[in-house]
Amino acid sequence: MIKILKKYFKPPYYFLIGKKQGTNAIARFVPTEKEFLGKKLHIHDIASFNLCNEELFQLEMYKFKASRPNPCIIDCGANLGMSIIYFKQLYPNASIIAFEADEHIFGFLEKNVESFGYNDVELINKAVWNCDDTLSFIVEGGAGGRIEEETSKGKYKKVVCTSLKKYLKGRKVDFLKIDIEGAEFEVIKDCEDELKNIDYLFIEYHSMPDREQNLHKILKIVQKAGFSYHIKEAYTAKYPFIERNLNFGMDLQLNVFCYKTK
């Protein structure tokens, strides 16, 4: 979900909650609250809220047409819950399973689901992976935390991981969202046999300069499962032949929209 947007990520990293800068400005990673769609929204990072608000509620990038009034939605990387709120606005009777790995952010997610009065949303404080395990997780504080082997740089903690495959097996899923900051290939590969039960699939693809790129492998898997795809940029370099600036360790992010054509 992390993306460089000049209006959000410009020094001194203050963001507007109200119309005028000053007393209404707040720094990143400072917890705050605001009214959103008539409910109290608990925010852990104002930049993450601003980005989600633009992508989901202004651009409606997750908008889809379900074949039933009570679609099943699985949300991998739910963050503070803006995607859940959007899905429930779109389909009030939707049943949602949502995963969020970061324990701190998960607390805000729980508060927001309670604030909006959603009873048919299952929240799981685990990272989706290709097996059940406990792995190292680098903490970004906004929307960019991810599973990663520990190095001397960054703040790390241990997170419990779960196989997504067991949540897909034997279940018709109307919409599967995978925004898990670099773990998407391992998860998609493990779930390959279950993708046939999904109508719509969203994947945010993340490229790391020190790892082999695997977008072509992901696309091959989703094609085999009967999907066509549409790709939009999330974060790309202006001059890729000259330099590829890193965005929290990533040199490329793409939004991949997968939909059944037959």
Side-chain angles (χ1 to χ4, degrees):
M1 177 63 77
I2 280 208
K3 176 165 55 170
I4 290 181
L5 295 176
K6 290 183 180 179
K7 64 181 176 181
Y8 294 155
F9 295 85
K10 188 162 76 173
Y13 306 106
Y14 280 79
F15 306 89
L16 292 179
I17 292 180
K19 293 182 179 179
K20 296 182 179 180
Q21 193 164 1
T23 57
N24 288 330
I26 185 169
R28 290 205 67 184
F29 313 123
V30 175
T32 189
E33 298 173 357
K34 75 186 303 292
E35 184 177 315
F36 186 73
L37 299 178
K39 304 289 185 179
K40 180 185 288 188
L41 187 73
H42 304 267
I43 301 169
H44 67 292
D45 172 39
I46 193 63
S48 298
F49 163 77
N50 285 339
L51 180 56
C52 288
N53 187 35
E54 177 172 324
E55 289 188 334
L56 305 190
F57 290 89
Q58 296 179 40
L59 300 178
E60 292 195 88
M61 62 184 289
Y62 294 157
K63 190 172 185 178
F64 73 102
K65 290 184 178 181
S67 60
R68 50 183 175 168
N70 56 338
C72 172
I73 298 170
I74 297 183
D75 187 341
C76 303
N79 202 258
L80 79 160
M82 294 288 283
S83 51
I84 294 174
I85 297 169
Y86 175 76
F87 288 134
K88 293 295 282 185
Q89 289 287 312
L90 193 62
Y91 294 106
N93 294 322
S95 61
I96 301 175
I97 301 173
F99 298 87
E100 173 52 48
D102 190 308
E103 184 179 11
H104 172 66
I105 298 174
F106 187 80
F108 289 82
L109 173 62
E110 283 187 309
K111 290 179 183 178
N112 289 328
V113 168
E114 181 180 358
S115 177
F116 277 76
Y118 299 145
N119 297 317
D120 47 359
V121 176
E122 180 182 357
L123 302 179
I124 301 173
N125 185 199
K126 295 180 180 179
V128 293
W129 189 236
N130 57 13
C131 64
D132 294 346
D133 204 346
T134 299
L135 298 174
S136 294
F137 183 88
I138 186 168
V139 178
E140 183 268 339
R146 62 177 181 261
I147 294 172
E148 183 174 287
E149 291 184 9
E150 293 190 31
T151 66
S152 58
K153 297 180 180 180
K155 180 181 178 183
Y156 290 87
K157 61 183 177 182
K158 297 293 184 182
V159 296
V160 177
C161 303
T162 184
S163 168
L164 176 63
K165 183 176 182 178
K166 62 186 177 183
Y167 291 90
L168 301 179
K169 196 167 185 178
R171 184 197 304 265
K172 174 177 169 52
V173 177
D174 297 81
F175 192 103
L176 170 61
K177 170 205 157 195
I178 298 179
D179 184 359
I180 50 179
E181 308 301 312
E184 55 273 1
F185 173 63
E186 287 80 3
V187 170
I188 287 291
K189 188 174 185 299
D190 183 56
C191 296
E192 182 173 0
D193 294 338
E194 305 303 327
L195 297 181
K196 61 183 181 294
N197 298 322
I198 298 167
D199 288 342
Y200 297 93
L201 169 63
F202 172 85
I203 306 166
E204 184 166 288
Y205 170 72
H206 306 79
S207 169
M208 313 289 182
D210 56 343
R211 302 182 195 175
E212 179 184 357
Q213 291 181 316
N214 48 40
L215 177 61
H216 60 295
K217 297 178 183 178
I218 293 174
L219 296 179
K220 185 176 181 179
I221 290 172
V222 299
Q223 278 189 314
K224 185 179 177 182
F227 290 98
S228 293
Y229 55 82
H230 184 93
I231 300 175
K232 292 184 178 182
E233 68 175 73
Y235 169 66
T236 57
K238 186 175 182 179
Y239 304 110
F241 291 137
I242 298 174
E243 62 180 0
R244 290 177 295 280
N245 296 323
L246 299 185
N247 181 27
F248 195 56
M250 305 169 196
D251 61 358
L252 173 66
Q253 291 169 249
L254 299 170
N255 292 328
V256 185
F257 303 79
C258 306
Y259 47 91
K260 293 289 179 61
T261 53
K262 52 185 176 180

